[in-house]
């Protein structure tokens, strides 16, 4: 593939994709990659430090088997800068096991380096496993991201990832950071780290976790190879249908993969603190899966494993997401069938159990 466009050209593609892009040179794109993925974090991990700090090979092997039951061929997960600082060699062994296990199931991994969402990575937040208070964490800390004088270690971590995994065929792509979003200090940090991984890149494509297609335009001039966008809770299927049409038009125009890397369900509860109904708070991937399948957009739903919401605000409103309980039962057979149907086979055989995991019921009682 050969292409290089300006940010203005990228935006023009999203607005009028039928018009050739001024300032862009494209060759005919290969057929779209069929990416059917899930966001992955173990059921009882509340941040990615916990996933890697107490990495459990048996849990990975079990959960990859669940992914295979849905005919998934991709997973998206993030590393932990804090786990690397503690034990880089231990982290490498865990990553290698994770990637090898995924590969044995025909699954490739979208591997993130830094996380732009959460709370401060204090020792208490990193290790907290109370379902009511545990939270995702920034990685690295806000104090590090805001201070360029403290970027040497994150640069070293970025180089370490690329030196070990930049040519790893088990990877679908390397994501420098999840959701720098519109925050200037996050974007400055992410841009610097993207420059590092680009300088040390191998054959694996590079990308940034983006809140939206509009936000992704900011990353285009950085040299991304894959466009990401997130939209977890649309109000209606029609809103999603229109958005996915924009994504497929953009993909054709810029000759670059465009992936929906976070989605969940149709919902209208917003992001405030008000009460929401049980129906709105529980998984319903079947409400969006047919629309996504129809569009053909490569996608990752949040999340493979059933757990209280990653966002603490949503969790305290009683939101739970995911497909599989730890014993292999599913919250909804319709959801599992809808997701699996993206492979061309909607036949799913499994036990359905629409109950909160016993270890997480404190959230349900207090929400």
């Amino acid at each position: 593939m050969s292409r290089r466009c300006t940010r203005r050209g990228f935006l023009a593609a999203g607005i009028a994709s039928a018009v050739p892009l001024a300032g862009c040179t494209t060759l005919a794109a290969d057929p779209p990659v069929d990416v059917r993925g899930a966001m992955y974090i173990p059921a009882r991990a509340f941040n990615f430090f916990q996933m890697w700090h107490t990495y459990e090979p048996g849990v990975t092997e079990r959960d990859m088997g669940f992914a295979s039951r849905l005919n998934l061929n991709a997973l998206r997960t993030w590393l932990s800068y804090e786990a690397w600082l503690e034990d880089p060699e231990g982290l490498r062994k865990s990553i290698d096991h994770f990637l090898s296990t995924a590969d044995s199931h025909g699954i490739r991994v979208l591997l993130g380096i830094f996380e732009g969402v959460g709370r401060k990575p204090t020792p208490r937040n990193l290790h907290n496993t109370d379902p009511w208070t545990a939270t995702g964490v920034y990685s690295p800390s806000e104090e590090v991201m805001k201070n360029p004088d403290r970027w040497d270690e994150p640069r070293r971590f970025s180089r370490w990832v690329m030196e070990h995994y930049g040519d790893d065929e088990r990877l679908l792509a390397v994501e420098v950071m999840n959701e720098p979003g519109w925050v200037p200090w996050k974007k400055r940090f992410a841009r610097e780290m993207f420059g590092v991984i680009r300088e040390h890149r191998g054959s694996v494509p590079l990308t940034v976790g983006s809140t939206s297609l509009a936000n992704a335009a900011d990353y285009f001039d950085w040299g991304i190879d894959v466009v990401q966008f997130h939209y977890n809770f649309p109000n209606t299927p029609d809103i999603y249908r229109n958005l996915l049409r924009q994504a497929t038009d953009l993909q054709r125009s810029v000759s670059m993969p465009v992936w929906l890397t976070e989605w969940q369900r149709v919902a209208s509860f917003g992001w405030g603190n008000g009460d929401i109904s049980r129906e709105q708070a529980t998984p319903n991937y079947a409400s969006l899966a047919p629309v996504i399948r129809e569009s053909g957009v490569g996608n990752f739903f949040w999340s493979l494993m059933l757990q209280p919401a990653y966002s603490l605000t949503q969790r305290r409103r009683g939101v739970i997401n995911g497909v599989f309980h730890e014993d292999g039962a599913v919250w909804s057979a319709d959801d599992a069938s809808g997701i699996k149907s993206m492979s061309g086979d909607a036949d799913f055989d499994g036990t359905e159990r629409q109950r909160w995991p016993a270890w997480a019921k404190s959230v349900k009682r207090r929400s």
Side-chain angles (χ1 to χ4, degrees), residues 200 211 244 251 326:
H200 295 273
T211 59
L244 295 174
Q251 180 167 274
E326 291 175 294

Side-chain angles (χ1 to χ4, degrees), residues 30-37 71-74 106 108 172 251 257 259 292-293 295-300 339-345:
D30 293 330
V33 175
D34 182 14
V35 177
R36 304 181 305 277
N71 285 352
L72 300 185
N73 60 14
R108 296 172 74 195
L172 193 63
Q251 180 167 274
W259 297 337
I292 298 171
R293 181 187 180 192
S295 76
V297 170
N299 66 92
F300 296 75
I339 291 167
K340 189 180 179 187
S341 73
M342 294 188 198
S343 70
D345 176 10

Side-chain angles (χ1 to χ4, degrees), residues 238-258:
D238 283 342
I239 290 174
Y240 230 64
R241 189 170 285 109
N242 291 335
L243 175 65
L244 295 174
R245 188 176 300 118
Q246 293 176 40
T248 54
D249 288 347
L250 179 63
Q251 180 167 274
R252 284 192 295 268
S253 294
V254 300
S255 298
M256 180 186 301
V258 178

Side-chain angles (χ1 to χ4, degrees), residues 40 51-52 64 73-79 95 98-103 106-112 168-175 204-205 259 300:
Y40 179 73
M51 171 177 168
W52 298 109
M64 293 290 182
N73 60 14
L75 289 175
R76 177 176 179 241
T77 196
W78 305 317
L79 300 177
I95 296 170
F98 185 88
L99 295 180
S100 295
T101 306
D103 186 58
I107 293 170
R108 296 172 74 195
V109 177
L110 172 53
L111 189 66
D168 198 316
E169 294 182 352
R170 299 170 297 183
L171 292 186
L172 193 63
V174 169
E175 174 183 314
V204 175
W259 297 337
F300 296 75

Side-chain angles (χ1 to χ4, degrees), residues 191-205:
R191 181 164 192 163
E192 174 65 20
M193 297 307 129
F194 191 91
V196 173
I197 68 171
R198 188 178 177 190
E199 180 182 354
H200 295 273
R201 70 171 305 155
S203 58
V204 175

